[in-house]
Amino acid sequence: MGRLLTRSHDLEETLENVVRLVARWMHAGGCSIYLSEDDGSTLVLRATRGLRPECVGQLRLRVGEGIVGAALESRETIAVPDWQRDDRFRLFPESGEERFRSLVAVPLIMRGMPMGVLTVQTARPRTFSAEELELLETISAQVASIIMNARLIALVAREGNIEPRSAARPEPFAAGTILRGIASSPGIAAGPVHLQRPQLDLDSLRYQPAASRRGEWRAVQSALRQTIRQLGDLRTAVGERLGEDFADVFTTHIMILEDQTFRQRLERHVAEHGDGARALREVLEDYSSIFAATPDPTIRERADDIRDVIGRVIEELVGVRQHNPPLRDGVIVVADWISPSDFVLLETEKIAGMITAHGGPASHASIFARSLEIPAVTGLPDLLERIRPTDRVIANGLDGEVIVNPTPEVLEEYQQRAQGFRRLWGRLDELRDLPSCTLDGREIRLSANIGGLNDLALAEHYGARGVGLFRTEILALSSRGFPDEDEQTRVYRNVAQRVAPDPVSIRTFDMGGDKAFPGEGVQERNPQLGWRSIRFLLDREDVFACQLRAILRANDPGNIRILIPMITSMDELDQTRAILAEQCERLGLSKLPPLGVMIETPAAVSIADHIATVVDFFAIGTNDLVQYVLAMDRENERIAASYDAFHPAVLAQIRRTSDVARAADIGCSVCGELAANPVAVPILIGMGISELSMTPFSIALVRQIVRALDTEKAEHLARSVEDCARASEVREKLWRAFVKMGLIDDRDLGPVIRRLLAARRSERRSTPPERSGMLPS
C-alpha cells in the first residue's frame, strides 16, 4: 500500500487503486472512499469497488448521517457486523449496497483535519478482528496524507491574484530609532549590519537552456539529483553539529523534491517552453505565492520550505555554487528570514547577533541561534525595507529591542549591559555542576521546561535536574497536527533516556486558549475560558488515548511522570484516570507512572485537598493561575501592567497549594514564568516549594539565588507577605531581603535584580519616594 501511494500521481487513480487493493485484501465485496466537501458538512463518494460506478461524484450524505457520516463526526472507526440491526444505517438503493450486510467505516484524519471516510462491506454478516481494524486505520492515515497533499496542490490550479505590494520604498530609520520585536535568543549584541540577501536574483537570471526540451529535462533532473545529494550532506552535517531534530528539516526538503506530483508539474512546464530555470521559477511562483496568500496557516507555512528548496535547485541548474558569504567579525546579520541551509553556510563564529523580519521564536533560525548562544530578535516585518547596509544596530535578545544607529551614550550603556551580562553568565556557568542547595543544606530541584528534543542540549548545558514540564503541544504546533503514536513514542523515549535517571514530567496536549488547535479550525468568543486543555482532550479521546499510549510505551527508563493540564473538577480527573487505566490494560502494564495535575485555576486550588488523594504530585502553572485569579487575559497588552504574579491573591493560592501537598506528602513544583523569576525564589522556597521548572537559560541565575538563601529566613519572608495588600508591598519586602543577602550591590547580579524589582506603572503612586529612585524601571 505504501508503494502504491507513493507511486500514484493522480488522486482519482490513487483512490481507485486503494479501494481495489483493500477489497481484495479484506476478502470484501465492497470498498469505497468518501471525501468531505469544502463546506466540511458534506461527504461525496469518490471511489468504489462494489457500488454502482455511476454513483461516484453523485452520492452525497451529510456528516453525521448514517454510519459513514457518524464515523467522520465522531472521528472513530465504526464496525457493524450486520447493518440491518443498526438503526444508524442509511440505505441508498441507487448505489446497489442493499446486497451488503456488514460495514466498517474508518475516518480519514490528517493532522487532526477530517478528510473523509474509508468503508469496507461484505455480503454476509461479519465481525472484523481488532488486527483488521487497526490495519485499516493505518491505511486510512496514509490515504489521508495523500488527500491532504492533493488538496494543497489543487490550490495552485485555482484562479486568483495576489495583491501587489506597493513599489514605494519607505524612508530609512532615523538615528536612535527603537524597534520592538520578539526576543528569540537571549543576550545583547551591537555591531554593523550585514544584510543577508538572497544569493540568486531570480528576476534578473541569465540562463541558456539546452538545445532540445528532452535535453533540458535531463539537465533539470540532474540538478534535482545534485540538490538532493547536497541536502543529504547538509542533513548529516547538521545532525552531527546540532542534533537530529535540526536535521529533519532537510528530510522534508528532500521529500519535496522527490514528490511525484511536484516533478510532473515541473516536467510539464519544461515541455511547454524548454527552459528549466523558468520552469522552476514558475513552479516556485505557483506554489509559494498561493500557499503564502491562503488564510490557512498550515498551508501558508509551507511557502518558506518551497522557496528554499526550489532556489537551491535553480542555483544548481544555472551553475551558481553555494558559498559562505563574506562576513566581518562582530556583525549583526539582518534578514527577511534565514533558511536552515542559509544558516549552515553562515560563518556563525563571526556573527554577534541576528535580526529577522519573520520566523518567530520557534523558527529554525531562532532555534539554531539559541543553540549557538547568538543573541537574536525577530518579528520586525518592515525591517528590510528601511534598514541600510551602512547602519549599525543593537540587538537586545533579552527584551526584544532593536536600536538603529544608537547615539554614543546609548551604545555605551548597552555595551556595559552586554559586558555585565557576559560576566554574570560566566560566573553562573562556574556554578553549573554545584548542587542547588540553600545555605542550610535544603536541596531545591531546578528542572527545565522544554518543547522538544531541541531544548535538551540547553537543559544539559545549564545543569537542569530533569524536565519539570514537557510542553507536548509544541510537537503538534510545529508539525501542524497531532503526531501519530509511534512518532510521539520516539520523541518521549528519547527525552526520557537523555535525562535519566532524573524525572521527566510530560504534560498532555495543552491546546486551546492562546495555542491554536492544529487543523481543528475552532473559533471561540473567549478561548481562554473555552474548549481547551483537558476539556478538549476528554472530548477528543482518540487524541488523548493515543498520547497516553505513546507516553506509556516510552517509559522504558522508568522516569516518566504524566502531567494533566487545567483540571478544574474531580469528574475530569476521574475520567482521565479511567482512560489512563484503560490504556495501561491495553498495553499489558500493571503499574501506572506517577500522575500529576497542573494547579492553574482557583477551582483546582479550592479542591486541592481532594485532588491530592488520587495524584502523586502537583505542578503549579502560574501563567494561567495569575490570569484566572486576577480575571485578566495574559495576552491583552492593555492590561499587561496589572497582570502581576506578585499580587497577594496569587501568592495566597500558591501557599494553599503547597500546604496541601505537604500535608498529603506529595511533590509540588512551580513551572510557570514565576519559577524563572529569580526575585520570586525566596518566597517560593519559603512557602515550601521544592522544585522550580523553567526555561533552561534561567536555571543558572536561579541557582545562584538558591545558594544565597537561608531556609528559615525565606520562610519568615513568605509568612510576612501574607499580610500585604498590594504587589508593591511584596516587592518592598523582597527588596529588603535582597539587600540583607548582599545581592543588590553585586556589580553584575544587582542590575538584574533591580530591574526585576522595578515598580510597575500601576503601582508607582504607592511606591515610597525614597525607594522610587532605587527601583528604576
Side-chain angles (χ1 to χ4, degrees):
M1 178 65 70
R3 289 194 298 270
L4 183 152
L5 292 175
T6 55
R7 292 177 181 177
S8 297
H9 305 152
D10 176 79
L11 180 61
E12 301 302 325
E13 174 193 342
T14 300
L15 298 183
E16 286 293 337
N17 286 333
V18 168
V19 297
R20 172 183 53 80
L21 187 60
V22 172
R24 186 177 66 194
W25 167 71
M26 290 287 291
H27 304 290
C31 178
S32 304
I33 292 178
Y34 299 78
L35 298 187
S36 59
E37 295 280 78
D38 290 341
D39 61 9
S41 62
T42 307
L43 284 165
V44 180
L45 180 66
R46 288 299 182 193
T48 186
R49 176 58 60 96
L51 301 184
R52 290 176 181 146
E54 57 268 24
C55 289
V56 173
Q58 303 300 318
L59 197 158
R60 296 172 178 267
L61 66 157
R62 298 185 306 278
V63 173
E65 181 181 6
I67 294 174
V68 175
L72 190 61
E73 184 176 54
S74 66
R75 304 186 182 209
E76 294 182 350
T77 298
I78 300 177
V80 179
D82 188 348
W83 61 260
Q84 293 183 358
R85 299 182 181 181
D86 195 302
D87 295 337
R88 294 173 295 180
F89 185 76
R90 165 76 191 281
L91 179 66
F92 292 89
E94 68 274 17
S95 68
E97 65 177 339
E98 64 274 3
R99 66 189 182 92
F100 296 116
R101 296 291 293 276
S102 72
L103 171 63
V104 175
V106 185
L108 304 175
I109 308 293
M110 177 57 182
R111 299 298 192 187
M113 294 184 65
M115 314 298 297
V117 179
L118 170 71
T119 67
V120 173
Q121 296 172 280
T122 62
R124 294 181 179 181
R126 174 177 169 185
T127 300
F128 295 87
S129 69
E131 291 79 7
E132 289 174 322
L133 297 179
E134 186 172 356
L135 194 49
L136 277 175
E137 290 172 350
T138 301
I139 291 173
S140 296
Q142 291 179 299
V143 174
S145 176
I146 295 296
I147 294 169
M148 170 64 85
N149 287 337
R151 290 187 172 178
L152 291 176
I153 303 305
L155 285 172
V156 180
R158 296 181 184 175
E159 294 185 358
N161 297 318
I162 309 300
E163 286 245 354
R165 299 182 67 179
S166 172
R169 183 175 178 83
E171 291 293 320
F173 292 113
T177 298
I178 300 176
L179 308 175
R180 303 198 181 276
I182 302 168
S184 58
S185 181
I188 300 173
V193 163
H194 173 87
L195 286 177
Q196 181 74 6
R197 302 288 188 185
Q199 295 188 20
L200 190 63
D201 185 355
L202 301 182
D203 294 330
S204 60
L205 184 66
R206 296 293 182 266
Y207 170 68
Q208 181 63 45
S212 69
R213 296 182 181 184
R214 181 176 298 179
E216 184 65 5
W217 175 238
R218 284 198 298 268
V220 172
Q221 288 179 303
S222 176
L224 289 169
R225 287 193 299 270
Q226 292 296 327
T227 304
I228 290 172
R229 187 177 295 113
Q230 293 168 10
L231 291 170
D233 293 340
L234 282 174
R235 180 174 57 187
T236 301
V238 172
E240 293 174 352
R241 181 180 176 189
L242 298 173
E244 289 302 318
D245 267 24
F246 293 143
D248 281 347
V249 66
F250 297 106
T251 302
T252 302
H253 288 187
I254 292 172
M255 291 173 63
I256 292 172
L257 297 185
E258 291 181 340
D259 177 71
Q260 293 299 321
T261 305
F262 165 81
R263 291 201 171 203
Q264 275 195 324
R265 187 170 187 85
L266 182 59
E267 186 176 9
R268 283 199 301 270
H269 280 290
V270 174
E272 287 173 5
H273 48 64
D275 187 328
R278 175 182 165 188
L280 285 160
R281 290 201 312 273
E282 289 167 345
V283 172
L284 171 61
E285 182 179 351
D286 288 345
Y287 282 52
S288 187
S289 297
I290 294 178
F291 288 177
T294 181
D296 187 337
T298 302
I299 300 171
R300 190 166 60 243
E301 291 174 10
R302 290 281 300 272
D304 286 347
D305 282 339
I306 292 289
R307 183 168 68 231
D308 185 21
V309 74
I310 294 183
R312 294 184 65 88
V313 180
I314 295 176
E315 291 177 341
E316 182 63 35
L317 179 66
V318 302
V320 176
R321 293 291 181 266
Q322 295 270 9
H323 60 278
N324 293 331
L327 297 181
R328 292 173 289 167
D329 286 326
V331 296
I332 308 295
V333 173
V334 177
D336 184 42
W337 71 293
I338 299 178
S339 71
S341 52
D342 286 339
F343 199 98
V344 172
L345 293 168
L346 287 171
E347 299 169 278
T348 52
E349 68 277 3
K350 295 183 178 180
I351 299 175
M354 287 173 41
I355 306 169
T356 54
H358 304 287
S363 68
H364 294 295
S366 296
I367 293 170
F368 290 178
R370 287 195 294 273
S371 298
L372 298 173
E373 299 184 351
I374 297 174
V377 179
T378 188
L380 298 166
D382 297 329
L383 183 67
L384 279 185
E385 297 181 358
R386 302 181 62 184
I387 203 77
R388 295 172 298 185
T390 55
D391 287 337
R392 297 182 65 87
V393 295
I394 295 172
N396 182 356
L398 298 174
D399 300 326
E401 289 180 342
V402 171
I403 304 176
V404 184
N405 294 322
T407 63
E409 295 77 17
V410 170
L411 182 61
E412 174 66 21
E413 175 193 345
Y414 273 84
Q415 286 175 340
Q416 290 180 2
R417 287 182 61 183
Q419 290 172 4
F421 176 82
R422 287 192 293 270
R423 280 197 310 268
L424 174 60
W425 248 252
R427 284 171 47 188
L428 298 177
D429 199 48
E430 297 175 0
L431 305 176
R432 180 176 58 188
D433 298 325
L434 296 178
S436 53
C437 294
T438 61
L439 292 173
D440 53 316
R442 179 183 168 192
E443 183 177 0
I444 306 298
R445 179 182 291 275
L446 303 183
S447 53
N449 296 343
I450 69 169
L453 293 172
N454 301 336
D455 298 325
L456 280 183
L458 286 176
E460 293 166 351
H461 175 76
Y462 288 110
R465 288 289 312 280
V467 173
L469 177 62
F470 185 170
R471 295 187 172 105
T472 60
E473 60 275 4
I474 303 300
L475 299 177
L477 296 172
S478 62
S479 58
R480 307 176 185 105
F482 297 106
D484 62 32
E485 184 178 329
D486 288 341
E487 183 180 351
Q488 291 186 63
T489 301
R490 176 184 64 82
V491 174
Y492 303 153
R493 181 179 287 125
N494 284 346
V495 172
Q497 290 174 342
R498 284 272 294 273
V499 304
D502 289 325
V504 177
S505 294
I506 300 180
R507 183 176 67 185
T508 53
F509 295 128
D510 186 15
M511 307 304 302
D514 56 345
K515 296 181 282 286
F517 295 95
E520 295 286 342
V522 176
Q523 292 188 354
E524 297 180 292
R525 179 173 296 180
N526 193 336
Q528 297 288 4
L529 301 179
W531 195 52
R532 61 168 300 193
S533 302
I534 192 60
R535 300 165 190 167
F536 163 77
L537 292 172
L538 293 176
D539 282 351
R540 288 293 309 277
E541 190 173 330
D542 57 327
V543 173
F544 197 16
C546 173
Q547 184 176 31
L548 290 175
R549 285 195 304 274
I551 294 172
L552 294 169
R553 288 172 55 195
N555 196 22
D556 298 335
N559 60 336
I560 287 180
R561 304 188 299 182
I562 300 175
L563 184 57
I564 309 299
M566 201 57 68
I567 289 289
T568 59
S569 72
M570 291 301 293
D571 290 335
E572 292 171 340
L573 188 52
D574 291 342
Q575 293 179 60
T576 296
R577 295 174 68 230
I579 295 171
L580 178 58
E582 180 183 345
Q583 302 313 310
C584 279
E585 182 178 356
R586 176 174 173 177
L587 294 173
L589 302 175
S590 58
K591 184 179 179 181
L592 292 172
L595 177 66
V597 297
M598 296 286 296
I599 303 295
E600 45 195 343
T601 67
V605 176
S606 297
I607 61 171
D609 48 350
H610 299 289
I611 296 175
T613 63
V614 293
V615 301
D616 301 293
F617 65 98
F618 289 159
I620 303 174
T622 56
N623 299 346
D624 273 320
L625 185 62
V626 173
Q627 84 167 341
Y628 292 128
V629 169
L630 302 184
M632 292 182 182
D633 183 356
R634 64 183 186 178
E635 299 297 316
N636 190 330
E637 295 180 358
R638 293 184 178 181
I639 55 175
S642 299
Y643 176 93
D644 194 340
F646 287 107
H647 193 292
V650 175
L651 298 179
Q653 301 273 299
I654 297 174
R655 161 67 86 178
R656 168 170 164 74
T657 303
S658 178
D659 289 346
V660 169
R662 258 201 324 277
D665 195 25
I666 64 174
C668 184
S669 67
V670 173
C671 56
E673 290 300 317
L674 194 63
N677 188 338
V679 301
V681 171
I683 291 179
L684 296 177
I685 292 178
M687 288 180 174
I689 300 298
S690 57
E691 179 180 354
L692 302 173
S693 186
M694 64 203 75
T695 56
F697 180 76
S698 303
I699 290 175
L701 184 53
V702 170
R703 180 184 288 110
Q704 178 157 343
I705 304 298
V706 170
R707 292 178 59 82
L709 279 175
D710 176 86
T711 302
E712 185 177 346
K713 292 179 180 178
E715 291 173 348
H716 175 75
L717 173 65
R719 286 193 298 270
S720 72
V721 300
E722 293 178 5
D723 299 328
C724 294
R726 300 177 179 85
S728 58
E729 296 171 13
V730 175
R731 285 191 174 82
E732 181 66 22
K733 290 180 181 291
L734 281 168
W735 173 274
R736 292 170 182 166
F738 278 102
V739 168
K740 292 179 180 178
M741 292 163 61
L743 297 179
I744 286 290
D745 296 326
D746 184 282
R747 183 177 68 160
D748 302 322
L749 188 57
V752 175
I753 294 175
R754 287 195 295 270
R755 181 166 60 88
L756 291 170
L757 282 174
R760 285 174 173 253
R761 183 171 54 207
S762 60
E763 300 170 351
R764 283 178 182 164
R765 291 185 180 180
S766 62
T767 303
E770 64 273 19
R771 288 297 183 197
S772 62
M774 298 176 67
L775 305 178
S777 63

